[in-house]
Amino acid sequence: MQLKPEIRAALESIQFIDRYKALSRNYSFDGREKFRDYDNHQVLHILDELGYKATFNKKEKFFKIVEKLPSYQFQFTISLSHSVIEFIWAVWKDGELKTGSPWDTLKELVDGTEDLVSSPVFRHYEDLKGILTESLRMYQDFKQELLSIYGVDNSGDSSEGLPSAE
């Protein structure tokens, strides 16, 4: 599998790999510290506080944010399994899937190595909110960069409520 050139360019532009590794380093804890009994409604509340309407798929056990623009659809899927988080980004342009991959796969396709980056781990809701805040910043940056590559102005998006990237 190869990345479409515009997906690669957007990921490189936002320094995806460095930011993913930093997120992993900042939220790497001993397995005994994992927060196993989180409440899905509380996670939805955190996402809402961050400015995103998400849904929870009970059968597949993941949270999903979908944003639709004319000709484009962006989807951010978040899986919380035993306090380990997996992120998946998907993008469609005019109904054609441009990418639909977990972050591990995106990282591998950008740098060409199979060096694994540990998934972020949360111990409590504060950790989870920190992880979600940074991952949503990355998502917004990716989305904006990709739309810019496609020549679309989307300056009035839902990222306004998020804290600015450091």
Side-chain angles (χ1 to χ4, degrees):
M1 175 186 349
Q2 288 190 354
L3 284 176
K4 303 233 183 271
E6 68 271 23
I7 301 298
R8 175 183 295 281
L11 291 169
E12 288 173 348
S13 178
I14 69 163
Q15 300 176 330
F16 171 75
I17 293 173
D18 291 339
R19 292 170 75 182
Y20 181 23
K21 287 179 179 179
L23 187 62
S24 173
R25 271 191 315 273
N26 292 337
Y27 294 95
S28 176
F29 305 106
D30 184 288
R32 293 174 295 210
E33 295 182 86
K34 293 179 182 177
F35 183 33
R36 299 182 197 287
D37 296 323
Y38 60 86
D39 179 278
N40 292 334
H41 295 289
Q42 183 64 27
V43 176
L44 289 169
H45 177 73
I46 291 169
L47 290 165
D48 188 55
E49 282 182 342
L50 294 174
Y52 292 87
K53 275 290 182 220
T55 58
F56 180 71
N57 182 311
K58 289 180 185 177
K59 183 178 178 186
E60 300 294 327
K61 298 183 180 176
F62 63 79
F63 299 87
K64 181 171 67 172
I65 297 166
V66 176
E67 295 182 296
K68 295 180 181 182
L69 303 167
S71 302
Y72 301 92
Q73 179 174 313
F74 292 84
Q75 182 174 304
F76 188 2
T77 303
I78 303 162
S79 174
L80 307 177
S81 178
H82 305 289
S83 297
V84 176
I85 303 177
E86 178 184 37
F87 298 116
I88 301 168
W89 285 344
V91 178
W92 292 265
K93 180 180 182 217
D94 297 322
E96 177 188 347
L97 182 66
K98 296 297 184 175
T99 190
S101 300
W103 280 16
D104 286 343
T105 302
L106 293 173
K107 181 239 164 253
E108 184 179 322
L109 291 171
V110 169
D111 73 4
T113 72
E114 294 182 18
D115 298 339
L116 293 177
V117 175
S118 299
S119 296
V121 176
F122 63 98
R123 302 165 295 178
H124 39 65
Y125 290 119
E126 186 177 317
D127 283 348
L128 178 59
K129 188 172 184 176
I131 293 166
L132 292 174
T133 298
E134 180 56 26
S135 66
L136 287 164
R137 283 182 191 137
M138 291 170 65
Y139 164 72
Q140 281 301 329
D141 291 348
F142 171 70
K143 184 177 85 171
Q144 292 299 354
E145 187 63 30
L146 190 57
L147 288 171
S148 175
I149 289 169
Y150 287 138
V152 176
D153 176 24
N154 191 43
S155 54
D157 70 3
S158 60
S159 67
E160 292 176 19
L162 284 177
S164 61
E166 295 176 1

